[in-house]
Amino acid sequence: MAEFKKSFIAALWFVILTFPFVAMKVDSFEKVVTWRWDNVLYMGVGCFFFSWLWRYLLQRKEFSKTEDKNKKSLFQQTLKDRLFSDPKVFRPVLIAAFCVAVIFPFLFSPYQTTIMTTALIYVVLGLGLNIVVGLAGLLDLGYVAFYAVGAYSYALFNYYYGWGFWSILPAGAILAAMFGVVLGVPVLRLRGDYLAIVTLGFGEIIRLILENWDEVTFGPQGIPNIPKPNFFGLEMDFQTTTLYMYFVVFVMTIFTIVVVRRLNNSRIGRAWIALREDEIACQAMGIDTTKTKLIAFGLGATWAGMMGVFFAAKNSFVNPHSFTFIQSAMILCIVVLGGMGSIVGAILAALILVLLPEYLRAFSEYRMLIFGGIMIIMMVFRPEGLISNVRRKYELHGGEKN
Amino acid sequence: MDYFLELLLGGLTRGSIYALIALGYTMVYGVLGLINFAHGEVYMIGAFVGLIVSGLLTVLGWPVLAIVAIATVCAMVYAAAYGFTIEKVAYQPLRHAPRLSPLISAIGMSIFLQNYVLLAQSSDFQAFPQLVPDFEFLEPYTHIILSSELVIILAGVVTLIVLFLLIKFTKIGKAMRAISQDRQMAMLLGVNVDNVISATFIIGSALAGLGGILVASHVGQINFYIGFIAGLKAFTAAVLGGIGSIPGAALGGLILGWTESFATGYVSSDYEDVFAFGLLVFILIFRPAGILGKVSSEKV
Amino acid sequence: MQTILDVKQLTMDFGGLRAIDHVDLDIKQGEIVALIGPNGAGKTTFFNCITGIYKPTGGDVLIAPPEKKQKRINGKKPNQITVAGLARTFQNIRLFANMTVLENVMIGQHCRTRTGIAGAVFQGKKVRAEERRVIDYSHTLLKKVGLDQYVHHLAKNLPYANQRRLEIARALATDPFLLLLDEPAAGMNPQETAELDQFITRIRDEENVSILLIEHDMRLVMSISDRIFVVDYGKKIAQGTPAEIQNNKNVIKAYLGEDIDDA
Ligand SMILES: Nc1ncnc2c1ncn2[C@@H]1O[C@H](COP(=O)(O)OP(=O)(O)O)[C@@H](O)[C@H]1O
Ligand SMILES: [Mg+2]
């Protein structure tokens, strides 16, 4: 009963809060007010149950915390942990996923294949940002700026100098990396929250420049007719191009996964995580934190730059509208939902966040609302994400001899 | 000369607005050490509540003065309620979480609120009625300053003075200062930290709401996105002045307001926002503590 | 014996507060030196100043690693000082909570290894060998501090006393010639503290390091220290052997009789 009362009060509070917004719509020219009482009802009922769920989840979180302490659960492993750490379990899953990805474009229409290509681009972007935010703990809110740098380098170099995809791919990557380093050198000395704001500002500056520098970037109209990558100069029809694009991105995805995985368990990756966990202790352990941050930031930017080139090629068209803060937010949401530093998590989250709105149209209207909600809810209830980054168990031997 | 005066007063108007919003950032930063990314959204909420309430009362045929008063009060109260709720939902559960968590939660809240207003109201710009009447005594000077601008400047000045006195002399103000110095110690000395944090959010948000309705009535149109840019600029102002410092917020607001006003007036208006962000990056790089802020080292 | 750390007239101000006031301190190779004083005396601040976490307002910090020339380290960054051979633990444990125990120690080896991005991606022979060495060395260290049964556990799940041991192992992994321990016995029970006694001496002997420690447990301090420095309100008020310190009037006054009788 007490629970009922609490939920009721919460619901009442939110109904009052949202009342002017959901119940009324005012047209101050026509001087009419449209009333929407049904919305108030939905809001009340929704908030009632949601607040119940909220409190239940909070309690569960508290409970599991004390539980952990009591049991000193040092040796316990959940089923999920096993799924990702036991090769006997995850290898078949991996192979199956690979096979599905390979035959996917042959089973489905070019339209579906294009969507899947987009999803894979986001997987790679998610993995790239995961290095910066998830591993090194640097909150980069302007990630899309580097993506834009990559995309526009393809568009512009192609338009003005006729460069092809394969020569611009490394150029775009290097250019984005340079932007990353130039921004990073002064900014990475700052506290984490300032970094967030500066990167946010930087993202906006890049977009505004693209929008206003008409003579070069053609402003909001963008640049059309960007060619797709060619395959040793072969002429290809629409269907084959789509297929080819898909596989190029797919190979890129595999490449990224391998690279990130290896970095994650290397000397550099450990330094990133140490940096994320405790910057002062990290520095006191002899790690040059500025350099370590810069490597993470630059590497993240490089990846965004490369994917920008892919994006421009896939769409054959770029304009500033593709590079708004919303994109940065979406990529960040992939990292947060997937789990900081978790590769499998980032992949799953990218697929969920891209494919779900694509196939559930009703969902797509509420997409951004849900992104925002996910970020809050994940932080409050499950900061480790869907799939927490399980640290590798390094094999021990030889040590015994001493 | 008139053009210069117009830019000067225009800058003062902008500066007052930035200061009004920057105060919220600075106060929250003072007690929580957190950048409340959703603060710009509270400003936007204030503007929308002003729009809806004034629209409703106009339709009902209330007298103009009553409409202005009620709409302003509603905007402030609602903004305060939103600020309070935001803290309870998105920040309070994260008091002891790693430093990245509340930041991400704050970004999430900002995105959520923008889209909530977009869905519940509209994605288009909406016309905002002119709430401030044209003062007769300003008639000869309208090419230099509008009455709505005068009101904004006055509101800014009055708010600053009131807030300054509040922080300096009231119990809650002292508690705020105590918490910003050393939260653990303040708690031991019997300060109710939760209440003070809530109060901080309520005051800061009410000011943002006031800013929202004043600007909306001055500019004449609003949409769900106005809080994003305004918030970013107000944050710039707060950092410029020295985040955590109330006079700093005012100073930062003025400098930013004038920079923008003169830069767009004499250089180019296309890059208005670029000037602001450029200034932000510049300060953070060369003087992250801001003009009036103190350089502090974390206790290890 | 060679002097390996020589601190001259070190001073540190926070705004108006002088946390350290012209303090001199020296350590000779192989010594265990204790820095004691009441809470808030400035001991941790002293550590922070010599390890580069704070920039001292005045004075000099000189180090002379064995077989190397003496050099000034004040004003250097913490990581540079660690590379130069000073390693520390923290009063409020600062482990990398979500990394495994083994990884925490491996981080200590970071500054003694070279693998870069390209190496990590291509995993060449040299890189793998280096990684192997780091793992084995870290594992050996963990055995020495008695944590080898926990290698794969997350640091945050260790009991308190073991977290302190892990911090010591992590510091040792940076290959220091001087180890700075900030209240290693804080939060330990009497038995764990008693074990710490031998533990610290053993580390000194086996790892060939000198030790500077801050500690409140007088029994521990008196039994293992070669020399003791006492600070109060940021000023050095006494220095000498344990016996000398126990009978020093200033010290007794500073402590108002507390603790010192137990020794
Ligand atoms: N970063 C800092 N800013 C301001 N004051 C500090 C800082 N670090 C330490 N102090 C002050 O310096 C004094 C000494 O503290 P500390 O070195 O921690 O003492 P101890 O370790 O001897 O207990 C205390 O008064 C403390 O408040
Ligand atoms: Mg101390």
Side-chain angles (χ1 to χ4, degrees):
Chain A
M1 203 58 208
E3 290 293 303
F4 185 86
K5 211 173 120 191
K6 273 188 201 157
S7 283
F8 184 76
I9 291 172
L12 194 65
W13 174 251
F14 279 100
V15 164
I16 295 172
L17 268 190
T18 54
F19 183 78
F21 292 89
V22 300
M24 290 183 258
K25 200 158 182 182
V26 179
D27 191 323
S28 24
F29 274 125
E30 304 282 321
K31 303 234 184 297
V32 279
V33 176
T34 327
W35 290 93
R36 298 171 297 177
W37 293 105
D38 49 335
N39 281 350
V40 179
L41 183 70
Y42 301 147
M43 202 65 190
V45 175
C47 286
F48 181 82
F49 288 108
F50 192 73
S51 82
W52 207 305
L53 186 69
W54 182 274
R55 265 175 295 121
Y56 167 74
L57 288 173
L58 262 188
Q59 264 166 20
R60 230 187 56 164
K61 189 178 147 203
E62 279 307 309
F63 181 72
S64 68
K65 242 193 238 161
T66 46
E67 181 94 322
D68 257 12
K69 285 226 173 81
N70 290 344
K71 276 203 298 204
K72 290 240 176 77
S73 55
L74 287 176
F75 298 88
Q76 277 195 338
Q77 257 194 342
T78 60
L79 186 77
K80 206 188 71 228
D81 290 341
R82 285 236 348 250
L83 184 61
F84 296 108
S85 56
D86 189 349
K88 274 202 219 81
V89 187
F90 80 69
R91 247 188 221 138
V93 175
L94 212 65
I95 292 168
F98 183 85
C99 294
V100 170
V102 170
I103 56 174
F104 182 90
F106 301 102
L107 296 181
F108 294 91
S109 69
Y111 172 72
Q112 314 275 2
T113 309
T114 313
I115 291 174
M116 204 56 180
T117 311
T118 309
L120 286 180
I121 288 181
Y122 275 98
V123 167
V124 180
L125 285 171
L127 288 169
L129 187 63
N130 206 356
I131 296 176
V132 186
V133 180
L135 292 179
L138 307 166
L139 188 51
D140 180 354
L141 297 179
Y143 196 59
V144 77
F146 305 117
Y147 189 46
V149 167
Y152 267 86
S153 27
Y154 188 19
L156 295 175
F157 278 119
N158 184 270
Y159 182 84
Y160 290 107
Y161 306 109
W163 287 24
F165 178 87
W166 294 110
S167 44
I168 290 175
L169 187 59
I174 292 169
L175 211 63
M178 268 162 46
F179 267 82
V181 172
V182 167
L183 177 71
V185 167
V187 155
L188 287 170
R189 292 175 301 137
L190 298 174
R191 310 170 21 132
D193 35 12
Y194 283 1
L195 177 71
I197 288 272
V198 172
T199 47
L200 183 68
F202 175 73
E204 284 296 297
I205 289 178
I206 293 279
R207 188 180 58 81
L208 287 168
I209 289 175
L210 293 177
E211 222 159 76
N212 289 308
W213 198 12
D214 292 337
E215 309 85 68
V216 177
T217 64
F218 299 98
Q221 295 151 23
I223 301 168
N225 297 330
I226 301 168
K228 305 253 178 211
N230 62 345
F231 188 61
F232 301 111
L234 237 60
E235 281 289 316
M236 286 184 283
D237 62 2
F238 172 70
Q239 205 152 353
T240 338
T241 323
T242 311
L243 205 66
Y244 180 55
M245 198 64 222
Y246 173 84
F247 278 107
V248 171
V249 174
F250 180 65
V251 170
M252 182 68 200
T253 313
I254 302 283
F255 171 69
T256 309
I257 293 172
V258 171
V259 168
V260 174
R261 213 182 107 82
R262 289 192 165 183
L263 284 174
N264 188 2
N265 292 315
S266 73
R267 172 175 173 271
I268 303 280
R270 287 191 298 267
W272 285 335
I273 297 169
L275 185 72
R276 179 190 76 191
E277 294 288 309
D278 189 330
E279 189 169 338
I280 287 174
C282 177
Q283 201 174 16
M285 285 307 113
I287 294 174
D288 185 341
T289 46
T290 315
K291 193 171 136 195
T292 308
K293 284 179 187 176
L294 203 57
I295 294 175
F297 203 68
L299 211 59
T302 311
W303 246 263
M306 283 200 272
M307 292 331 282
V309 179
F310 280 95
F311 171 82
K314 192 205 77 168
N315 277 19
S316 313
F317 169 71
V318 291
N319 75 349
H321 197 71
S322 309
F323 308 105
T324 54
F325 173 65
I326 293 177
Q327 297 295 310
S328 289
M330 171 153 172
I331 305 168
L332 179 65
C333 196
I334 290 173
V335 177
V336 170
L337 180 64
M340 297 282 187
S342 158
I343 296 175
V344 185
I347 297 172
L348 275 184
L351 293 179
I352 293 173
L353 290 183
V354 177
L355 299 183
L356 227 53
E358 211 54 67
Y359 289 108
L360 294 173
R361 279 289 157 189
F363 183 91
S364 99
E365 199 185 329
Y366 294 94
R367 201 170 74 151
M368 288 306 292
L369 191 77
I370 291 169
F371 287 172
I374 284 177
M375 287 191 209
I376 303 170
I377 289 172
M378 292 308 282
M379 283 302 114
V380 174
F381 298 112
R382 218 185 140 74
E384 72 273 27
L386 284 181
I387 295 173
S388 49
N389 179 16
V390 185
R391 293 310 302 160
R392 184 173 147 198
K393 297 184 173 57
Y394 296 91
E395 250 179 86
L396 302 167
H397 55 71
E400 264 86 337
K401 278 177 249 151
N402 302 39
Chain B
M1 192 59 208
D2 274 2
Y3 188 53
F4 176 80
L5 262 184
E6 184 191 336
L7 293 181
L8 190 75
L9 289 170
L12 191 61
T13 312
R14 281 170 190 254
S16 307
I17 296 159
Y18 295 148
L20 269 182
I21 312 173
L23 286 170
Y25 279 113
T26 269
M27 289 168 67
V28 167
Y29 193 90
V31 297
L32 272 186
L34 166 78
I35 295 176
N36 178 13
F37 272 99
H39 190 62
E41 268 45 73
V42 173
Y43 157 92
M44 179 268 294
I45 297 268
F48 263 91
V49 170
L51 172 73
I52 294 165
V53 171
S54 63
L56 179 69
L57 295 182
T58 313
V59 173
L60 294 179
W62 286 42
V64 177
L65 216 59
I67 294 178
V68 174
I70 294 175
T72 309
V73 170
C74 281
M76 290 178 73
V77 168
Y78 259 89
Y82 270 88
F84 170 83
T85 312
I86 289 170
E87 195 270 329
K88 288 284 174 233
V89 170
Y91 306 146
Q92 196 184 55
L94 297 174
R95 279 290 150 79
H96 305 286
R99 64 194 166 81
L100 215 52
S101 301
L103 270 181
I104 292 175
S105 178
I107 302 278
M109 185 49 93
S110 164
I111 298 172
F112 186 88
L113 287 177
Q114 272 178 27
N115 288 278
Y116 148 72
V117 173
L118 181 148
L119 291 168
Q121 291 288 312
S122 154
S123 62
D124 303 324
F125 269 101
Q126 308 220 301
F128 199 98
Q130 185 193 354
L131 293 180
V132 180
D134 290 321
F135 303 132
E136 266 174 42
F137 66 89
L138 275 182
E139 205 68 59
Y141 308 107
T142 40
H143 57 296
I144 299 174
I145 185 168
L146 300 172
S147 29
S148 56
E149 291 179 316
L150 186 68
V151 170
I152 289 175
I153 295 171
L154 286 178
V157 172
V158 171
T159 311
L160 269 168
I161 294 171
V162 170
L163 199 64
F164 193 74
L165 296 176
L166 183 98
I167 302 278
K168 196 95 195 176
F169 296 112
T170 62
K171 208 172 139 196
I172 190 90
K174 281 180 189 150
M176 281 176 191
R177 281 183 287 151
I179 291 179
S180 64
Q181 292 259 317
D182 189 336
R183 194 193 310 174
Q184 224 66 43
M185 193 49 106
M187 211 139 64
L188 288 177
L189 294 176
V191 176
N192 186 331
V193 174
D194 280 340
N195 286 356
V196 177
I197 291 173
S198 289
T200 310
F201 271 85
I202 289 173
I203 297 171
S205 303
L207 297 183
L210 177 64
I213 191 168
L214 288 177
V215 177
S217 134
H218 170 60
V219 176
Q221 56 171 9
I222 57 175
N223 78 348
F224 70 98
Y225 201 61
I226 56 170
F228 181 77
I229 294 285
L232 208 52
K233 289 190 182 167
F235 176 78
T236 306
V239 173
L240 182 59
I243 197 156
S245 145
I246 288 180
L251 184 64
L254 279 186
I255 294 178
L256 182 63
W258 275 323
T259 309
E260 274 192 357
S261 180
F262 287 115
T264 49
Y266 288 124
V267 187
S268 152
S269 62
D270 281 351
Y271 290 99
E272 181 188 326
D273 296 341
V274 176
F275 290 124
F277 299 139
L279 189 63
L280 172 66
V281 174
F282 191 78
I283 305 154
L284 283 178
I285 291 166
F286 292 104
R287 194 175 158 79
I291 298 170
L292 299 182
K294 285 187 287 274
V295 186
S296 64
S297 56
E298 187 186 346
K299 262 191 200 179
V300 177
Chain C
M1 264 292 143
Q2 189 197 353
T3 302
I4 53 164
L5 175 74
D6 196 0
V7 180
K8 290 179 181 158
Q9 298 289 302
L10 191 74
T11 303
M12 179 77 208
D13 295 329
F14 294 111
L17 178 88
R18 176 152 290 188
I20 303 179
D21 193 353
H22 296 93
V23 172
D24 288 319
L25 182 145
D26 65 293
I27 299 174
K28 306 209 159 45
Q29 196 170 358
E31 268 188 322
I32 295 181
V33 172
L35 179 63
I36 63 171
N39 270 323
K43 306 178 298 292
T44 300
T45 307
F46 185 83
F47 267 28
N48 287 337
C49 285
I50 48 182
T51 54
I53 289 178
Y54 296 159
K55 228 180 163 142
T57 337
D60 267 329
V61 183
L62 303 162
I63 57 163
E67 282 118 51
K68 284 201 191 128
K69 282 229 305 260
Q70 195 178 46
K71 65 178 168 191
R72 260 179 62 158
I73 55 166
N74 42 327
K76 289 236 162 78
K77 286 203 218 151
N79 51 307
Q80 294 169 323
I81 291 174
T82 305
V83 171
L86 257 56
R88 70 173 291 179
T89 65
F90 294 90
Q91 180 176 355
N92 316 308
I93 299 178
R94 300 190 84 125
L95 287 167
F96 306 119
N98 288 307
M99 298 176 86
T100 64
V101 167
L102 183 70
E103 281 180 314
N104 266 275
V105 182
M106 288 168 80
I107 285 288
Q109 279 275 297
H110 184 96
C111 60
R112 307 293 173 206
T113 45
R114 292 276 69 87
T115 304
I117 297 186
V121 172
F122 295 115
Q123 293 281 321
K125 228 187 195 152
K126 257 196 190 149
V127 170
R128 286 204 308 266
E130 185 179 273
E131 187 82 353
R132 186 76 263 149
R133 244 189 357 261
V134 171
I135 295 170
D136 291 344
Y137 181 64
S138 306
H139 190 209
T140 316
L141 276 175
L142 282 173
K143 270 194 209 152
K144 279 194 185 147
V145 301
L147 289 178
D148 56 328
Q149 80 224 49
Y150 301 112
V151 272
H152 293 314
H153 295 157
L154 293 187
K156 65 177 174 193
N157 290 336
L158 285 187
Y160 200 76
N162 283 341
Q163 293 200 2
R164 290 229 176 264
R165 284 163 179 267
L166 178 54
E167 266 213 330
I168 295 177
R170 185 179 70 173
L172 282 175
T174 65
D175 222 352
F177 66 87
L178 175 64
L179 187 59
L180 307 158
L181 306 176
D182 198 346
E183 305 203 11
M188 288 192 177
N189 62 35
Q191 169 166 8
E192 286 161 345
T193 311
E195 286 170 12
L196 200 63
D197 202 328
Q198 290 170 18
F199 179 68
I200 292 176
T201 329
R202 190 161 56 90
I203 283 177
R204 190 245 326 245
D205 299 337
E206 287 181 7
E207 301 298 315
N208 208 5
V209 292
S210 316
I211 291 170
L212 172 62
L213 91 159
I214 295 172
E215 191 41 74
H216 282 299
D217 186 289
M218 285 304 147
R219 199 202 51 76
L220 179 68
V221 168
M222 293 301 162
S223 69
I224 63 171
S225 317
D226 296 310
R227 283 186 304 141
I228 299 174
F229 288 79
V230 191
V231 287
D232 193 17
Y233 293 110
K235 288 199 173 72
K236 186 170 79 179
I237 56 167
Q239 82 178 75
T241 61
E244 286 164 10
I245 293 298
Q246 279 177 35
N247 299 317
N248 185 304
K249 280 213 187 66
N250 287 339
V251 178
I252 295 171
K253 207 164 74 192
Y255 275 87
L256 287 171
E258 81 176 287
D259 275 339
I260 208 85
D261 320 309
D262 317 351

